[in-house]
Amino acid sequence: MKYFMKTVVLGLFSSSVMASGTHSHSHDNMRYSVGEPSKGIPDRSISVSMQDTMRFVFNPELDKLKNGETIEFRVKNDGAIQHEFSIGNAEDQVKHAQMMRQMPDMKHNDPNTVSLAPGKSASISWKFMGKDTVVFACNIPGHFEAGMKHILAITDI
Ligand SMILES: [Cu+2]
């Protein structure tokens, strides 16, 4: 955990010394807390509608996450403003939200996050591992606080 903190601090520092403006940024050395991006065949696919009511609408409903399963999320922004769908644990999302507040123009192309303009869609495949609690979050400032999140523990069965 100490290592992760250091990475975030260094990331903030190097971003702040770069030229201002929009830039892409990926955490190549990031370790994920709740699994990993997957290129394998998913065990199931779930569509996620992101809406300006500050809700993720999962179809079918996402009420269980099994240790070792891969889920393909087909994410669509059905709203009129930017939204994102990010997979992590509570700590990841708090840090991500802090970075977004400090660098609102930053484009987040991390493998655990898709940020979408209105009407756009993208897929993200994720293999869930461990037994942490997963926090799906939109970290556009104010959205998480308004309810744009879904929280679910990974289970062994
Ligand atoms: Cu949002």
Side-chain angles (χ1 to χ4, degrees), residues 4 15 19 21 56 62 79 84 87-89 94 96 99 101 108-109 125-126 136 138 140 144-145 154:
F4 179 65
S15 298
F56 294 126
L62 182 61
E84 72 159 39
I87 303 170
N89 67 8
V94 166
H96 187 180
M99 289 175 80
R101 278 195 290 271
H108 290 260
N109 292 328
S125 258
W126 194 263
F136 300 92
C138 174
I140 308 281
F144 182 89
E145 294 82 348
I154 302 172

Side-chain angles (χ1 to χ4, degrees), residues 50-52 54-56 81-85 137-140 142-144 148:
M50 305 199 290
Q51 305 184 353
D52 290 347
M54 302 301 158
R55 292 292 179 272
F56 294 126
I81 57 172
Q82 188 85 14
H83 288 293
E84 72 159 39
F85 180 76
C138 174
N139 288 306
I140 308 281
H143 292 205
F144 182 89
M148 206 154 186

Side-chain angles (χ1 to χ4, degrees), residues 9-22:
V9 171
L10 286 173
L12 286 171
F13 178 73
S14 58
S15 298
S16 64
V17 296
M18 283 173 74
S20 61
T22 304

Side-chain angles (χ1 to χ4, degrees), residues 63-142:
D63 53 9
K64 191 172 272 189
L65 289 174
K66 278 179 267 178
N67 184 9
E69 79 169 327
T70 296
I71 301 179
E72 176 197 34
F73 295 96
R74 296 177 182 168
V75 187
K76 179 158 190 242
N77 184 350
D78 287 313
I81 57 172
Q82 188 85 14
H83 288 293
E84 72 159 39
F85 180 76
S86 177
I87 303 170
N89 67 8
E91 195 177 353
D92 297 336
Q93 301 300 11
V94 166
K95 290 201 170 89
H96 187 180
Q98 283 168 350
M99 289 175 80
M100 300 263 301
R101 278 195 290 271
Q102 284 167 12
M103 292 172 279
D105 293 335
M106 185 170 148
K107 285 270 190 293
H108 290 260
N109 292 328
D110 303 328
N112 64 328
T113 300
V114 287
S115 184
L116 296 174
K120 299 288 184 195
S121 37
S123 282
I124 176 168
S125 258
W126 194 263
K127 182 176 185 182
F128 291 92
M129 292 185 287
K131 49 185 169 186
D132 206 343
T133 294
V134 179
V135 177
F136 300 92
C138 174
N139 288 306
I140 308 281

